[in-house]
Amino acid sequence: MFVPIINTTGEGLVEAVVETSWPSIYSPGVQQTLSRIPSAMKFVKYASAAVLALLGGQVEADSTYSPARPPAVPLAVRSPYLNVWLNGQENGPHAVLPGQWPRYWATGVQGWQGFIRVDGKAYNWMGNHPGAPTVDQVSMDYTSTRSNFNMSVAGKVSMRIEFLSPVFPEDLRRQSIPFSYMDVAVQSLDGASHDVQIYADVSGEWASGDTNAVIQWDTSSNSGIRSHKFYKQKQNEFQEDGENAAWGNWYWSTADQPGMSYKIGADFDVRGQFTNQGSLDNKIDSQFRAVNDRWPVFAFARDLGKVQGNTVSTLFTIGVAQKNAIQFTGQADQPQSVPSLWTSYFSEQDLVTFFFNDYDDAGHASDSLDLRVQRDSVAAGGQDYATITSLVVRQVFGALAYSGTADNPYIFLKEISSNSDIQTVDVIFPAFPILLYLNPNLIKYMLEPLLINDRYHYPNDYAQHDLGRFPRANGYPKGDDEAMPLEECGNMIIMMLAYAQRKNDDKYLADNWDLLVKWAGYMIKDAKIPAQQLSTDDFAGHLANQTNLAIKGIIALEAMSQVATKAGHQSESANYSSLAKQYLEFWTQHGVNKDAGHTMLQYDNKDSYGLLYNIYPDKVLGLNLIPQEIYDMQSDFYLKTQKQYGVILDTRNVWTKLDWELFAAAVAKPDTQRMFISKIAKWINETPTWRALTDLYDVNTGGYPGGLQFTARPVQGGLFSLLALK
């Protein structure tokens, strides 16, 4: 296999290298075929573009990207287990669909292959199976719910491949379906009539992160929809193979219409049949086997006939159906199975057909959401801000598992990538601006499992950090979770009040008064002078007297004054407010370096500073506790200390956090806000990172900080901080 290195050396010449050892992602059959390349051809120093094209590669013009060139493109991102991206390449081209394997958020290959035959010649438009030249990716554009790729096939035919992962913030029935769409549209590019066939398959890699696991499959047609069903033979409910689910049934579907053919079998056989013949023989391999044993693939082909003036499209859907979504310890002493929310509305077969037939309605709903986010973002912060917000919507909702029943829904959040904890409070907190903006009820559904488990099973006098590791939300009956006591107490009170304010739900606060007053009691002890402890930025280590942590506790105490009133405990309101103001006076004396014009990272440590992102809740809740001069002082200081791609998180390192930068920007002066937004948009377009949008990066280089790769996390909901204030 030839891997072009884009290094122009002369007239139409590029440097090219032939790999001599084949990655494990190729099937044994492919490796054997590639090993037959004569040794004289193992290294080609210079070759013309035409030669490379003949050998299966193709030198392409650079694709354009709109509104920016993201480090990775969301393809099918609807849940923690349907979370597939087109990664960029480390030190290489970014987001090119043909010639590259889509990948799970944890970077494992999710074999997804596409071919097109035009006038009898096959081309590759997605995936990295050898044997056909790649089409030319002309452009890629994204919205909040879509990623669209525009291709040119030998100058004859144009293709538009739409990956749609709809987001329904207020429609729990539709949002609970962990399925996604891919629509492939074809039209003549040169005005002539062309004979065209389309092919797409998925591999057994979707069914298990363990390629040695045996999978099983079948195919069926129901209500005009043909579905390949495949699954891990030995199901392990609430277990993972790596980060992939070890249970559930996968469905790859298309319309059962004239010109459609299908096949299940070894990758080389199935794909080769299409590239040679332009159709499949409707045969099913009966030998169930391991994912990596002749790599079973599940394929569809469609003969479009003569394509000329009109656009012809073919729709595919991919998704996973799990009857039970989460293991949860609630009021009962023992863990219980919580059903996937979709089971309240559909049987498994109806789920597949409903989603496929819902494409038009899903498209209209997605148009509305795309327009809303674009319009509101431009109004709040210009096109650069829309570039930022529209990239992260699917990433946030792709970390959520909808479970429970229609009358009692729970939303469980997977932290993803940093350690994949479930229901991490200080991950929900940075995500909560997008929930406030789109539907505050989502906050309630997300916090409810924490409240239940805490009330019945958690022994400490502060709020717990998380409920365990996804998908097991069993909490910490021994109280041995990762302790962030002040952090999580403040987060819970702030988020609960924010929900109650937006939905006028005072009963919610009254019903949970026992927990709220317990957490407030802890803050009374610790918020004034925080003991040595972790904050949400736990990667930076323990620290005593954290100014930013203290101000969160102080704001939460002021929030408790409102909570007390709303919850029917008016007599306690004044005491909370009085304490908050006393603590704020102390905080101002020891946390502000007036001479240098900035707050400090640590009390009385005048050379330290950082992003004071925890004053953002004061504005969200409308408390008006923090004097405006603090906001203005910090705003001016950020302008003075800005780096290439933003402002450092704090003086312990050159890292920053994307979510906290936008928290800081949302309450800053207009010039400072524009600075943050423009630098972050620039970073998205230039960052050398190549996986799903990281929230932790180096402000000077834009790259990953060391080995830390906080990718695909839902904390990016914090980028909606400006819109949550509206």
Side-chain angles (χ1 to χ4, degrees):
M1 176 181 174
F2 287 77
V3 182
I5 298 175
I6 307 304
N7 178 19
T8 303
T9 57
E11 291 288 326
L13 299 179
V14 296
E15 190 172 352
V17 174
V18 180
E19 294 188 4
T20 57
S21 61
W22 312 112
S24 60
I25 58 173
Y26 296 120
S27 70
V30 175
Q31 294 184 40
Q32 184 179 20
T33 299
L34 293 172
S35 68
R36 296 193 186 109
I37 296 175
S39 59
M41 294 177 62
K42 292 288 178 71
F43 180 79
V44 178
K45 179 63 177 175
Y46 299 118
S48 71
V51 169
L52 287 178
L54 286 171
L55 292 170
Q58 183 169 319
V59 180
E60 302 172 351
D62 288 342
S63 173
T64 62
Y65 298 91
S66 178
R69 183 233 65 192
V73 178
L75 299 182
V77 180
R78 286 274 285 165
S79 76
Y81 295 131
L82 180 63
N83 209 293
V84 180
W85 299 74
L86 179 67
N87 286 359
Q89 298 175 37
E90 186 176 3
N91 302 317
H94 279 68
V96 179
L97 190 63
Q100 187 176 338
W101 289 122
R103 293 180 179 268
Y104 189 52
W105 70 259
T107 74
V109 168
Q110 303 278 262
W112 205 353
Q113 180 64 50
F115 293 114
I116 182 171
R117 269 178 48 119
V118 178
D119 299 332
K121 183 174 181 179
Y123 302 85
N124 183 331
W125 56 266
M126 175 173 63
N128 199 22
H129 190 89
T134 58
V135 303
D136 183 10
Q137 181 174 308
V138 178
S139 65
M140 191 285 294
D141 57 270
Y142 67 83
T143 66
S144 293
T145 62
R146 293 177 171 89
S147 298
N148 300 307
F149 294 84
N150 295 296
M151 312 290 188
S152 172
V153 187
K156 296 180 178 180
V157 167
S158 67
M159 300 180 69
R160 183 168 177 84
I161 302 102
E162 174 203 60
F163 294 90
L164 171 62
S165 295
V167 174
F168 305 95
E170 297 181 337
D171 186 341
L172 297 187
R173 181 178 67 134
R174 282 183 163 93
Q175 188 59 35
S176 71
I177 302 174
F179 281 59
S180 191
Y181 299 102
M182 180 180 73
D183 188 62
V184 181
V186 178
Q187 187 175 23
S188 175
L189 189 60
D190 59 7
S193 176
H194 297 286
D195 196 30
V196 178
Q197 297 86 38
I198 290 289
Y199 169 99
D201 74 43
V202 295
S203 76
E205 289 156 305
W206 293 67
S208 177
D210 175 10
T211 58
N212 292 307
V214 175
I215 59 171
Q216 195 165 326
W217 54 79
D218 58 41
T219 188
S220 62
S221 183
N222 183 50
S223 301
I225 299 165
R226 168 69 60 175
S227 295
H228 295 322
K229 174 184 175 181
F230 59 103
Y231 49 95
K232 189 179 178 185
Q233 196 173 70
K234 293 183 178 180
Q235 299 270 300
N236 298 300
E237 195 171 54
F238 309 130
Q239 301 292 322
E240 293 183 338
D241 297 331
E243 297 283 355
N244 303 69
W247 82 105
N249 298 320
W250 287 86
Y251 290 90
W252 171 237
S253 306
T254 195
D256 203 349
Q257 60 188 326
M260 190 278 290
S261 57
Y262 61 88
K263 187 176 179 67
I264 299 176
D267 60 347
F268 220 63
D269 296 338
V270 176
R271 293 165 182 169
Q273 185 174 105
F274 175 80
T275 56
N276 291 328
Q277 301 176 17
S279 64
L280 301 171
D281 59 14
N282 297 342
K283 292 183 178 180
I284 307 301
D285 189 332
S286 61
Q287 186 180 355
F288 305 139
R289 55 187 183 271
V291 172
N292 62 11
D293 182 358
R294 289 165 290 138
W295 305 87
V297 299
F298 311 94
F300 294 116
R302 184 182 173 201
D303 189 345
L304 304 182
K306 298 295 183 181
V307 172
Q308 189 169 12
N310 296 328
T311 299
V312 184
S313 63
T314 304
L315 180 66
F316 304 89
T317 59
I318 182 69
V320 59
Q322 298 167 312
K323 293 290 179 66
N324 291 320
I326 297 291
Q327 185 184 83
F328 174 51
T329 302
Q331 294 186 31
D333 291 335
Q334 299 300 318
Q336 306 293 315
S337 297
V338 183
S340 294
L341 184 57
W342 62 261
T343 62
S344 293
Y345 308 105
F346 307 102
S347 68
E348 191 164 311
Q349 187 56 60
D350 288 344
L351 175 76
V352 177
T353 56
F354 172 84
F355 185 79
F356 191 94
N357 291 326
D358 197 44
Y359 176 63
D360 287 342
D361 287 342
H364 292 315
S366 297
D367 288 342
S368 296
L369 182 65
D370 290 346
L371 179 61
R372 176 184 174 187
V373 172
Q374 174 71 19
R375 178 195 63 219
D376 293 352
S377 298
V378 169
Q383 177 53 49
D384 277 349
Y385 188 49
T387 296
I388 296 166
T389 55
S390 57
L391 181 58
V392 303
V393 175
R394 283 169 286 176
Q395 180 166 325
V396 176
F397 281 85
L400 309 182
Y402 285 66
S403 65
T405 64
D407 295 331
N408 190 27
Y410 295 145
I411 299 176
F412 286 93
L413 172 146
K414 184 169 185 175
E415 184 171 328
I416 296 190
S417 77
S418 41
N419 64 7
S420 288
D421 281 350
I422 187 170
Q423 231 63 355
T424 310
V425 176
D426 60 291
V427 171
I428 298 174
F429 177 72
F432 98 102
I434 194 174
L435 309 178
L436 274 181
Y437 168 67
L438 290 177
N439 181 8
N441 284 327
L442 302 178
I443 298 172
K444 179 182 179 181
Y445 303 146
M446 208 173 291
L447 297 185
E448 191 64 19
L450 285 156
L451 297 172
I452 294 172
N453 184 271
D454 197 308
R455 178 172 287 112
Y456 292 99
H457 301 289
Y458 190 62
N460 296 327
D461 62 351
Y462 49 79
Q464 59 189 324
H465 173 265
D466 63 88
L467 288 180
R469 183 178 171 87
F470 197 95
R472 295 173 296 281
N474 296 320
Y476 298 88
K478 296 180 180 179
D480 55 352
D481 54 325
E482 182 182 17
M484 294 185 188
L486 184 53
E487 176 76 49
E488 311 304 23
C489 288
N491 290 339
M492 290 297 291
I493 291 170
I494 289 165
M495 290 190 289
M496 291 173 73
L497 178 57
Y499 157 76
Q501 287 178 338
R502 300 294 173 100
K503 301 302 294 185
N504 296 312
D505 190 354
D506 292 351
K507 184 178 183 298
Y508 176 70
L509 301 177
D511 290 346
N512 291 291
W513 175 252
D514 58 331
L515 294 175
L516 288 159
V517 74
K518 179 179 74 170
W519 299 331
Y522 183 87
M523 291 192 303
I524 290 172
K525 294 185 294 185
D526 197 45
K528 184 177 181 180
I529 307 175
Q532 175 140 327
Q533 60 190 279
L534 292 174
S535 72
T536 183
D537 304 319
D538 54 354
F539 51 85
H542 290 73
L543 189 67
N545 304 325
Q546 294 182 60
T547 307
N548 194 38
L549 190 56
I551 202 65
K552 174 176 283 182
I554 293 167
I555 289 170
L557 282 174
E558 182 67 22
M560 275 300 295
S561 176
Q562 278 201 26
V563 169
T565 299
K566 287 176 169 291
H569 299 271
Q570 176 71 43
S571 61
E572 300 186 40
S573 177
N575 183 52
Y576 286 122
S577 185
S578 176
L579 284 171
K581 291 177 173 61
Q582 291 175 34
Y583 288 9
L584 179 61
E585 183 178 356
F586 179 88
W587 180 90
T588 304
Q589 292 173 357
H590 296 276
V592 178
N593 184 340
K594 293 183 179 179
D595 294 334
H598 61 76
T599 56
M600 294 174 271
L601 170 66
Q602 200 175 21
Y603 283 155
D604 299 322
N605 183 351
K606 292 191 173 183
D607 292 330
S608 67
Y609 57 85
L611 292 171
L612 193 67
Y613 55 82
N614 275 331
I615 57 175
Y616 173 74
D618 180 53
K619 294 291 189 184
V620 170
L621 300 175
L623 301 176
N624 298 315
L625 174 69
I626 307 301
Q628 187 59 42
E629 55 260 32
I630 296 294
Y631 291 101
D632 293 343
M633 177 188 68
Q634 285 300 112
S635 187
D636 293 340
F637 185 70
Y638 297 146
L639 279 179
K640 296 175 185 176
T641 57
Q642 62 181 286
K643 305 299 182 186
Q644 176 72 7
Y645 293 111
V647 177
I648 61 170
L649 177 63
D650 61 55
T651 43
R652 288 176 288 184
N653 218 303
V654 294
W655 307 337
T656 195
K657 285 283 265 83
L658 201 53
D659 43 350
W660 301 144
E661 285 188 296
L662 263 296
F663 269 49
V667 296
K669 293 179 180 179
D671 285 350
T672 303
Q673 190 174 99
R674 283 191 290 270
M675 178 272 292
F676 274 113
I677 290 171
S678 64
K679 283 185 175 291
I680 290 169
K682 176 181 172 67
W683 172 79
I684 287 173
N685 202 52
E686 297 179 358
T687 175
T689 64
W690 64 96
R691 297 181 183 135
L693 196 64
T694 178
D695 52 283
L696 184 69
Y697 67 93
D698 186 309
V699 293
N700 294 317
T701 67
Y704 295 121
L708 296 172
Q709 296 166 346
F710 286 8
T711 61
R713 300 205 310 159
V715 299
Q716 304 292 30
L719 306 189
F720 277 73
S721 56
L722 277 70
L723 297 183
L725 291 178
K726 305 297 182 183

